[in-house]
Amino acid sequence: MFGDLFEEDYSSVSNSQYGKGKKLKTKGLEPPAPREFTNLSGIRNQGGTCYLNSLLQTLHFTPEFREALFSLGPEELGSLEDKDKPDAKVRIIPLQLQRLFAQLLLLDQEAASTTDLTDSFGWTSEEEMRQHDVQELNRILFSALETSLVGTSGHDLINRLYHGTIVNQIVCKECTNISEKQEDFLDLTVAVKNVSGLEDALWNMYVEEEVFDCDNLYHCGTCDRLVKAAKSDLDDTEYTYDLFSVIIHKGGCYGGHYHVYIKDVDHLGNWQCQEEISDSDVNLEALQNEDETDDPLMILKSILLQEETNQIPVDQLGQKLLKKTGISWNKKYRKQYGALRKFLQLHPQMFLLSTDESTVSLLRNHFTQAPSDLQRSHEQILHTLATEPPGLSDNNSCPHWFDINDSKVQPIREKAITQQFQGKESAYMLFYRKAKLERPSEARANPRYRVPCHLLKEMDAANIQLQMRRAECDSANNNFELHLHLGPHYRFFNGALHPAISQTESMWDLTFDKRKTLGDLRQSIFQLLEFWEGDMVLSVAKRVPAGLHVYHTLDGDELTLGEAEITDGEDIFVWNGVEVGGVQIQTGSDCEPLLLHILHLEMSGEGSKCEQLVESPHVFPANAEVGSVFTALAVPAGVILTNSVESADGECWTAIPKEDMKKTFREQGLRNGSLILVQDSDTDDNSSLPRQGRWTSGVDELNWLQVRNFCQLDSEEEQVQIPVTTHTVVFDIRIKAIKELKLMKELAENSCLRPIDRNGKLLCPVPDACTLEEAEVKMGSSLGLCLGKAPTSSQLFLFFALGTDIHPGAEMEIIVEETLSVKDCLKIMLEKSGQQGEMWHLRKMDWCYEAGEPLCEEDATLKELMICSGDTLLLTEGKLPPPGFLKVPIWWYQPARLSGHCESWDHANCASSQDSSWGATPTQGAPVPEPADVPLLYLGDVKISEEATLLELKSKAMALPSVSKLAVQSTALLRVWTVENKRLSRLLRTGWRQLKEYRLGRRAELCLELLQKEEDLGPQDVLLRTQLHIPGERAYTRPVDLVWDTTRGWTAGSLRQRVADFYSLPVEKIEIAKYFPEKFEWLPISSWNQQVAKRKKKKNQDTLQGGPYYLKDGDIIGVKNLLFDDDDDFSTIRDDIGKENQKQLALGKKKSREVLRAQSSDVFSSAEMDTRPRGPEASLSIHVASFR
């Protein structure tokens, strides 16, 4: 029923495509679009927040949740205006959620923004671009709300609305005693694969009776002995729920897209299914085949019926008429009925024009009048939809469903929802309401119901502001910039019009409303040009290389600028329509002036017999005869040659035959900038330029493939080119390559073609039955002819390699059945690679070409784990822990001594020695940290259950042989960090929490740090490592831990005061800086600077949690005592060496890439490969202040 929810389908992962070469207007200054016909608001996607939008819409359309949140006033939550005050307790997350819900209910915009809400979460732009799991977000958001509402009347909001209890009852068959066990939950996770429906899935997991008998007897407390028993079923008639939200996921587990189907419980939206609106499309098609196409009333009505709002700008109505019928209004109807706008004005009984006559709509009484019998059968439905109030159409008692996809909101029929419980776009999270819940009548179709007064006032004011902005924007968007060229200021010479005076005085710029008519434009120009006498003609002109040319005259003063097809930036020539400066002007595209470059042999000087080639520009009308060139050059006759290359040494000369001399320049294919060579008729026959024919032909298009011989058989040829098309079958290419390479015919039964990438690697074989288009093989690429058959449709071609350090060319190949289990595949690969033993497992190589997650399910088939042909699997040493267990590499943190001097670091103590007990290598492929970077020592691996606590993990780690030498007295003296990229990353607090709550993952590595005394870090405490700068030296003292209480905020001033108190120094006599070890850089932290966020373009109020500091546990803070050290440089000698090493490494990589490109460019220039690695998966979190 549900299918594979996360079957990989990378085509579904959206990639934004940006238009190129287009002049974009400043859309950022435009107000948001108003709501569409559904009267519901969507939510804009910030880049990867479709999962957040789907959950927020579900909560917004849950009346009980929305109104419970609205019931909390400013006296309990505080005010957003006070959030920056140091002593104010403002609960920002619920306040921003209230504000967002009010915008979704009342603000007239197509989509709301979640920027303020995600800012309150503490998310950065990077987190807003990354997609997460919506169920994980639901739990984290509910937890954040519970924390935010502590101490308010809504402290139990989540528990009251979403808390449920699973009751397990066991009934003794002897004494009928009932034993109950209760488990709390907020959501239920069910396995839906291979079940017929959700009820079966819930039954299997939570209700199905379990019998205790035979070897599985139950100990009854009443009978005090082992007895037969059964798990009983509760009467569930009281617990009936209705589905009202379906969150749908499309794509794979690494990405994709979320949208949501929601039942409009309160009838807030207008529901009108597009199937009924789209019937007018059928009507229009029928009209086009009937005589009714001659009636413009019928066609215009049909076009308006297709519009969602039944309203359209008048200029767009003409464009849609042209698109639908293939003929414009001016050509078909204008002669008989006049201009389009005038025609609409003459039929007020059918069409309703806006006050400024910019838009038109159908009157209500004509909304369902069908233009033909085809539409009359739907008349009653359309009439009902048009006349009923919002949300009450179809069935008054039944709420309707909407598909909310980020900004887009569309109505959907209930029967269509069932289609989303299968395939790659499938239901993922379902929300239910108790069937007995009833809504009050005053809440029906009333978006203002229970919205707090202060939010109502805010939304009303915002709507007024939006209307004003839209009116201003509408006026600005309808203004055209026209360039008026004044005829009296122009002269005609050299075949075109040119300014008689300066360009500034000859051309005026005019801003004009495109909704006004040509008559209005003419009148405005008359008022501007007080000196004008006589007739005024407006013509469309165009700048060409030869000068200005006039094309056509603008007729019809009743036409708007849009109807006259005048565009923004149009050149308008203002003249009397006959002559300019006494010269009669030819107009139109036929006589457009062409600027040609003519080459002619002339004598180099007086009395000289030496000829030289001279180039001169000439202007000719496009409709002039080619032979007029001789007249312009005063040459009686000769030969004319054309060249498409604009240079004298072109290689593509063509002689024009004498019979073509009467043709025009346009007929001959000449254009602006074309090159012409003229030879006199008496030129010697041995001229270096031919009289006729072409020297060379153009370069052929790539319509071939290169096949190289990889069969290890002698051949006269190493590679051949095979002519192909996109529809050529691979089998035919292979047979032809065997023949042209002169190889044995037997290879036809035992060979295959394999694409070669730009690095020379042979890829997965191409099936013989595919065409090149189906196999996605590009023209001009290279294929290798190899021994062995291509895999069948039920087989997989896999690469595999030993270990996690993969070198090019080290992979081995194997063909296996897709139904093979992981365990059997592992055995085959071990046998082929010559390895023995059972301490091995398989990992799939990720997009970064590194070892990815292990294939844990040994009995699962390769097909079930979505292993595809061409994938690379890695044979990794080490046995995987059983399900529910972790195998965690444990490191030991050894504090550094004097920092900054290169010679002061003890490499021997940091490196893993093979001769000592420290030398064991982490079995999960964990990289050994560089000794000069982080002082970590490898202790060994710990196998532990995910249900174990952090204290139990510490105890197991202390039992490792390597730890016995460290003399650790108690687990309370151990601090635990996660390790990422060879550095300490996240501090794990609270020893009684289970490991699964930390979301460590299967590849987690942990590090232990020895403490001098026990510590108890609070939720607002931040652990920093401070180092005091040594005056006069570029070095620091040994790091010292500092605990900073951030209850009063993450401000620079607070941190500086804490550091000053710690070192007993005046706060004005210290300077501090955060160290970024991966960049070898120090960033000073000042109390007066306010960083401007690049994404938001607003002040961050000096918070150190955000950019550019991103302060967290374990960060290194450098401290300078200005009493003895007034130098502002925080860097050390080691930083200089590190930066230089990074620079040299970058240069080396750049040179390697250049060498690789140079080596492969001649063969693989047309190959394309997407080498973008998939970024590491990041955890999701919401930061909440403490209100306890």
Side-chain angles (χ1 to χ4, degrees):
M1 173 184 172
F2 286 84
D4 294 326
L5 296 183
F6 289 101
E7 182 179 345
E8 282 298 334
D9 179 14
Y10 297 104
S11 65
S12 66
V13 183
S14 60
N15 293 317
S16 297
Q17 300 294 329
Y18 298 94
K20 297 181 180 179
K22 295 182 180 178
K23 183 179 179 182
L24 300 178
K25 294 190 176 182
T26 54
K27 289 287 185 183
L29 301 178
E30 293 186 3
R35 301 189 180 208
E36 295 186 350
F37 71 99
T38 61
N39 199 35
L40 296 178
S41 175
I43 300 178
R44 285 192 291 276
N45 194 326
Q46 297 190 51
T49 57
C50 56
Y51 70 105
L52 172 66
N53 296 349
S54 300
L55 179 61
L56 290 176
Q57 289 282 19
T58 297
L59 297 178
H60 162 243
F61 276 95
T62 308
E64 294 75 19
F65 180 88
R66 183 181 69 234
E67 291 167 7
L69 192 65
F70 280 153
S71 67
L72 302 172
E75 65 280 358
E76 291 189 278
L77 301 182
S79 173
L80 290 174
E81 288 77 12
D82 300 332
K83 64 184 177 67
D84 297 324
K85 295 180 180 179
D87 297 328
K89 279 196 174 184
V90 181
R91 304 168 194 267
I92 301 178
I93 292 178
L95 283 172
Q96 292 292 5
L97 205 54
Q98 279 186 346
R99 193 164 177 266
L100 175 64
F101 285 177
Q103 291 174 350
L104 292 173
L105 287 169
L106 301 170
L107 199 57
D108 183 21
Q109 58 181 0
E110 182 184 31
S113 170
T114 56
T115 303
D116 291 336
L117 180 65
T118 53
D119 281 351
S120 72
F121 291 169
W123 288 2
T124 62
S125 58
E126 181 181 353
E127 289 169 303
E128 291 160 358
M129 294 295 292
R130 183 185 294 118
Q131 190 182 105
H132 289 279
D133 180 79
V134 70
Q135 184 194 18
E136 179 188 13
L137 170 69
N138 183 62
R139 294 180 176 181
I140 292 174
L141 179 59
F142 279 5
S143 175
L145 280 172
E146 281 187 320
T147 305
S148 298
L149 297 177
V150 168
T152 70
S153 60
H155 65 92
D156 61 343
L157 186 151
I158 301 299
N159 192 62
R160 186 172 72 246
L161 295 180
Y162 294 96
H163 173 263
T165 304
I166 298 175
V167 181
N168 294 320
Q169 289 188 344
I170 300 178
V171 181
C172 175
K173 292 293 183 70
E174 301 289 337
C175 66
T176 68
N177 179 58
I178 298 176
S179 174
E180 285 190 356
K181 179 184 178 182
Q182 297 185 0
E183 297 179 16
D184 297 332
F185 69 90
L186 294 179
D187 56 56
L188 296 176
T189 301
V190 294
V192 295
K193 194 169 184 179
N194 299 325
V195 296
S196 61
L198 183 63
E199 290 185 2
D200 287 348
L202 289 167
W203 179 275
N204 293 342
M205 295 197 70
Y206 300 106
V207 182
E208 187 175 16
E209 184 177 84
E210 180 182 357
V211 178
F212 301 93
D213 58 5
C214 300
D215 296 334
N216 186 28
L217 295 175
Y218 169 72
H219 184 272
C220 176
T222 305
C223 300
D224 196 20
R225 59 189 176 87
L226 293 174
V227 297
K228 292 182 179 181
K231 184 191 294 183
S232 65
D233 186 10
L234 287 177
D235 182 10
D236 60 355
T237 55
E238 182 183 352
Y239 306 102
T240 305
Y241 292 86
D242 289 336
L243 178 69
F244 81 98
S245 173
V246 181
I247 296 182
I248 298 161
H249 182 269
K250 177 182 180 181
C253 56
Y254 293 106
H257 183 65
Y258 284 95
H259 63 110
V260 61
Y261 290 166
I262 289 182
K263 183 190 288 187
D264 184 11
V265 176
D266 281 343
H267 298 267
L268 299 175
N270 294 330
W271 191 90
Q272 183 176 351
C273 192
Q274 294 300 298
E275 297 170 3
E276 296 160 355
I277 301 174
S278 62
D279 284 342
S280 54
D281 285 332
V282 181
N283 301 333
L284 187 57
E285 292 177 7
L287 283 172
Q288 291 175 1
N289 298 322
E290 299 176 3
D291 295 336
E292 292 181 0
T293 51
D294 292 332
D295 185 357
L297 277 175
M298 297 297 105
I299 294 190
L300 294 177
K301 281 173 57 180
S302 299
I303 293 174
L304 286 169
L305 283 171
Q306 296 174 73
E307 297 301 311
E308 295 176 351
T309 57
N310 301 298
Q311 186 176 12
I312 188 175
V314 176
D315 52 354
Q316 290 186 21
L317 181 61
Q319 296 171 10
K320 287 185 178 288
L321 175 69
L322 175 63
K323 183 178 179 181
K324 292 290 185 183
T325 65
I327 188 168
S328 67
W329 175 273
N330 290 342
K331 289 184 179 180
K332 178 81 173 172
Y333 303 108
R334 186 171 182 271
K335 188 175 181 180
Q336 181 178 357
Y337 298 101
L340 176 59
R341 191 182 303 272
K342 184 177 180 181
F343 179 81
L344 297 172
Q345 292 171 346
L346 293 175
H347 294 82
Q349 76 283 3
M350 184 177 295
F351 303 112
L352 177 63
L353 285 166
S354 60
T355 52
D356 58 358
E357 297 187 349
S358 62
T359 61
V360 61
S361 60
L362 276 179
L363 288 176
R364 289 281 179 177
N365 59 334
H366 285 276
F367 194 59
T368 59
Q369 291 180 3
S372 68
D373 292 338
L374 189 64
Q375 192 174 359
R376 292 191 185 107
S377 61
H378 303 289
E379 187 179 48
Q380 186 60 41
I381 297 175
L382 287 172
H383 179 73
T384 302
L385 292 174
T387 56
E388 287 184 349
L392 304 183
S393 58
D394 195 24
N395 187 339
N396 289 341
S397 62
C398 179
H400 290 294
W401 287 79
F402 290 89
D403 177 9
I404 304 182
N405 192 342
D406 288 337
S407 301
K408 199 72 176 174
V409 182
Q410 293 287 345
I412 185 173
R413 292 192 180 277
E414 190 167 339
K415 64 182 180 182
I417 299 175
T418 59
Q419 299 173 3
Q420 299 301 328
F421 289 82
Q422 55 191 354
K424 295 177 182 177
E425 185 174 5
S426 184
Y428 179 55
M429 196 170 184
L430 310 177
F431 286 80
Y432 288 81
R433 293 175 68 247
K434 282 186 178 180
K436 294 182 177 180
L437 291 176
E438 294 184 0
R439 299 292 295 148
S441 58
E442 56 268 24
R444 189 183 185 87
N446 180 13
R448 301 175 73 90
Y449 181 70
R450 293 284 181 92
V451 179
C453 293
H454 69 282
L455 287 176
L456 288 175
K457 293 179 181 178
E458 181 184 346
M459 295 303 113
D460 290 342
N463 278 325
I464 295 173
Q465 189 68 25
L466 272 177
Q467 291 176 4
M468 295 172 58
R469 287 179 58 196
R470 288 188 182 124
E472 295 171 359
C473 185
D474 182 61
S475 176
N477 287 341
N478 285 294
N479 285 341
F480 270 173
E481 190 76 21
L482 301 177
H483 306 302
L484 303 180
H485 300 267
L486 309 181
H489 295 172
Y490 273 79
R491 294 293 178 266
F492 185 86
F493 58 90
N494 288 340
L497 292 165
H498 299 273
I501 49 180
S502 68
Q503 181 74 27
T504 306
E505 296 182 24
S506 302
M507 185 185 76
W508 291 9
D509 289 333
L510 175 66
T511 301
F512 202 74
D513 192 332
K514 67 179 180 181
R515 296 170 292 185
K516 292 188 177 181
T517 64
L518 289 174
D520 297 332
L521 176 62
R522 194 186 313 275
Q523 186 65 33
S524 298
I525 296 176
F526 260 122
Q527 294 174 0
L528 287 173
L529 306 178
E530 298 177 354
F531 61 84
W532 194 273
E533 296 180 359
D535 294 335
M536 175 184 287
V537 175
L538 304 181
S539 299
V540 175
K542 180 182 177 183
R543 294 186 182 94
V544 294
L548 188 72
H549 180 66
V550 179
Y551 285 84
H552 63 274
T553 300
L554 296 172
D555 295 324
D557 282 358
E558 72 280 3
L559 295 177
T560 66
L561 269 63
E563 293 170 341
E565 299 179 352
I566 296 177
T567 59
D568 192 15
E570 194 85 78
D571 290 287
I572 305 295
F573 193 65
V574 185
W575 60 317
N576 59 16
V578 180
E579 52 82 27
V580 174
V583 179
Q584 190 168 353
I585 304 300
Q586 289 185 323
T587 63
S589 58
D590 292 340
C591 58
E592 179 181 318
L594 299 178
L595 179 63
L596 305 178
H597 299 277
I598 299 180
L599 295 171
H600 182 56
L601 287 172
E602 294 183 359
M603 296 297 178
S604 59
E606 291 187 13
S608 174
K609 294 184 179 180
C610 179
E611 291 182 327
Q612 65 177 6
L613 206 58
V614 177
E615 179 181 344
S616 58
H618 289 265
V619 178
F620 299 92
N623 58 358
E625 294 180 356
V626 176
S628 61
V629 172
F630 297 126
T631 305
L633 295 177
V635 176
V639 179
I640 298 178
L641 300 99
T642 61
N643 188 346
S644 59
V645 182
E646 299 179 13
S647 63
D649 56 349
E651 298 179 348
C652 195
W653 291 99
T654 303
I656 299 178
K658 288 185 178 180
E659 57 270 19
D660 290 344
M661 290 295 179
K662 294 292 185 179
K663 289 185 176 181
T664 65
F665 288 99
R666 178 156 289 163
E667 290 172 341
Q668 199 59 43
L670 296 173
R671 61 185 187 277
N672 281 303
S674 291
L675 196 61
I676 292 179
L677 174 66
V678 179
Q679 284 185 301
D680 297 341
S681 57
D682 57 352
T683 304
D684 295 337
D685 290 341
N686 58 357
S687 170
S688 60
L689 298 171
R691 290 176 180 268
Q692 60 185 4
R694 295 178 181 270
W695 282 10
T696 61
S697 60
V699 179
D700 293 333
E701 294 182 1
L702 289 176
N703 55 358
W704 50 266
L705 286 177
Q706 190 174 66
V707 179
R708 300 172 63 184
N709 180 16
F710 282 89
C711 290
Q712 300 177 351
L713 299 175
D714 293 334
S715 171
E716 296 179 7
E717 302 288 340
E718 290 187 359
Q719 57 189 33
V720 291
Q721 277 190 2
I722 308 294
V724 294
T725 68
T726 56
H727 302 293
T728 305
V729 179
V730 174
F731 175 79
D732 297 336
I733 300 172
R734 185 166 63 86
I735 297 303
K736 193 168 185 178
I738 292 173
K739 291 180 180 178
E740 295 195 13
L741 289 170
K742 299 178 181 179
L743 297 171
M744 298 181 300
K745 294 182 179 180
E746 289 77 6
L747 282 176
E749 301 297 328
N750 189 34
S751 63
C752 61
L753 290 176
R754 299 174 60 179
I756 308 172
D757 70 5
R758 63 179 64 185
N759 297 319
K761 178 183 176 181
L762 288 167
L763 303 179
C764 179
V766 182
D768 275 347
C770 292
T771 64
L772 294 182
E773 185 177 17
E774 293 169 344
E776 298 181 356
V777 176
K778 297 189 177 180
M779 295 295 183
S781 60
S782 293
L783 299 175
L785 181 65
C786 306
L787 291 172
K789 294 182 180 180
T792 65
S793 59
S794 63
Q795 292 179 323
L796 300 176
F797 182 93
L798 303 176
F799 297 97
F800 69 98
L802 280 172
T804 56
D805 190 11
I806 310 162
H807 299 286
E811 301 100 330
M812 291 169 275
E813 302 165 358
I814 191 175
I815 295 179
V816 296
E817 294 292 332
E818 63 182 3
T819 55
L820 194 70
S821 68
V822 173
K823 183 189 299 182
D824 295 335
C825 182
L826 175 62
K827 290 179 181 178
I828 295 174
M829 289 181 175
L830 287 172
E831 184 179 345
K832 188 165 183 178
S833 60
Q835 301 297 321
Q836 297 179 350
E838 297 183 355
M839 301 299 290
W840 295 88
H841 67 275
L842 287 177
R843 290 178 180 266
K844 187 176 179 181
M845 188 172 72
D846 60 18
W847 285 9
C848 303
Y849 297 94
E850 297 176 352
E853 290 295 325
L855 305 184
C856 301
E857 302 177 45
E858 292 185 340
D859 295 327
T861 65
L862 299 176
K863 182 179 180 180
E864 290 173 341
L865 297 179
M866 293 179 288
I867 305 297
C868 306
S869 282
D871 285 349
T872 301
L873 300 181
L874 303 177
L875 280 168
T876 310
E877 196 168 4
K879 190 74 173 175
L880 286 175
F885 282 77
L886 297 174
K887 190 175 183 180
V888 186
I890 304 295
W891 301 86
W892 182 262
Y893 175 78
Q894 179 172 299
R897 293 192 291 274
L898 190 66
S899 156
H901 296 297
C902 301
E903 65 275 11
S904 68
W905 205 283
D906 189 349
H907 288 202
N909 286 340
C910 297
S912 298
S913 171
Q914 293 182 353
D915 299 330
S916 68
S917 60
W918 305 95
T921 305
T923 59
Q924 286 194 19
V928 178
E930 298 175 7
D933 196 10
V934 179
L936 299 184
L937 302 172
Y938 175 66
L939 300 177
D941 291 343
V942 167
K943 296 180 182 178
I944 191 168
S945 169
E946 291 180 325
E947 304 290 335
T949 64
L950 187 62
L951 285 174
E952 292 171 331
L953 181 136
K954 291 181 182 180
S955 300
K956 280 214 167 192
M958 288 182 63
L960 292 172
S962 304
V963 183
S964 60
K965 300 180 180 181
L966 300 173
V968 180
Q969 297 179 358
S970 170
T971 57
L973 296 177
L974 288 178
R975 183 186 288 160
V976 183
W977 301 82
T978 61
V979 178
E980 292 182 11
N981 299 324
K982 307 177 185 179
R983 294 187 176 89
L984 303 185
S985 175
R986 181 163 55 108
L987 178 61
L988 304 184
R989 308 167 187 243
T990 316
W992 49 265
R993 292 180 64 185
Q994 292 181 330
L995 296 180
K996 64 181 182 182
E997 297 180 51
Y998 294 106
R999 301 181 182 272
L1000 297 176
R1002 286 189 169 271
R1003 302 182 66 183
E1005 302 173 39
L1006 299 179
C1007 179
L1008 303 179
E1009 180 184 2
L1010 184 63
L1011 302 175
Q1012 299 300 319
K1013 60 179 181 179
E1014 296 184 15
E1015 68 178 5
D1016 184 18
L1017 296 177
Q1020 297 296 323
D1021 291 339
V1022 179
L1023 178 70
L1024 302 174
R1025 303 193 190 278
T1026 59
Q1027 293 180 286
L1028 192 61
H1029 192 267
I1030 301 175
E1033 298 186 34
R1034 299 184 64 194
Y1036 289 87
T1037 60
R1038 185 174 177 176
V1040 181
D1041 289 349
L1042 178 144
V1043 178
W1044 174 36
D1045 184 2
T1046 61
T1047 303
R1048 292 184 175 271
W1050 288 69
T1051 63
S1054 172
L1055 177 59
R1056 286 170 54 84
Q1057 186 63 56
R1058 177 68 182 97
V1059 173
D1061 295 343
F1062 185 78
Y1063 284 99
S1064 301
L1065 292 171
V1067 69
E1068 66 274 6
K1069 294 299 180 181
I1070 65 166
E1071 284 294 338
I1072 60 176
K1074 179 189 170 178
Y1075 185 53
F1076 293 86
E1078 66 279 0
K1079 299 179 182 178
F1080 298 96
E1081 292 180 353
W1082 296 83
L1083 183 61
I1085 301 175
S1086 302
S1087 59
W1088 56 82
N1089 65 347
Q1090 284 185 320
Q1091 301 294 332
V1092 178
K1094 294 180 180 179
R1095 176 175 64 86
K1096 306 297 182 192
K1097 301 296 182 186
K1098 66 181 183 181
K1099 293 183 179 179
N1100 261 353
Q1101 300 301 326
D1102 203 17
T1103 175
L1104 300 182
Q1105 275 185 302
Y1109 300 104
Y1110 302 106
L1111 207 62
K1112 63 182 186 307
D1113 289 317
D1115 280 348
I1116 297 175
I1117 302 295
V1119 183
K1120 281 195 174 187
N1121 183 354
L1122 298 183
L1123 295 172
F1124 303 100
D1125 190 359
D1126 57 357
D1127 184 12
D1128 58 357
D1129 182 20
F1130 279 85
S1131 65
T1132 65
I1133 300 173
R1134 181 170 174 268
D1135 295 334
D1136 296 342
I1137 296 173
K1139 285 184 179 180
E1140 183 62 29
N1141 290 341
Q1142 285 184 339
K1143 183 178 179 182
Q1144 295 300 325
L1145 183 62
L1147 288 174
K1149 289 182 179 179
K1150 182 179 179 182
K1151 290 179 180 178
S1152 299
R1153 287 194 298 267
E1154 291 174 352
V1155 170
L1156 184 61
R1157 277 198 296 267
Q1159 291 174 347
S1160 58
S1161 60
D1162 54 341
V1163 180
F1164 309 109
S1165 58
S1166 65
E1168 294 181 6
M1169 182 175 69
D1170 189 3
T1171 57
R1172 293 175 297 173
R1174 174 182 288 145
E1177 186 174 348
S1179 60
L1180 178 66
S1181 61
I1182 295 178
H1183 305 288
V1184 189
S1186 176
F1187 298 100
R1188 298 185 182 277

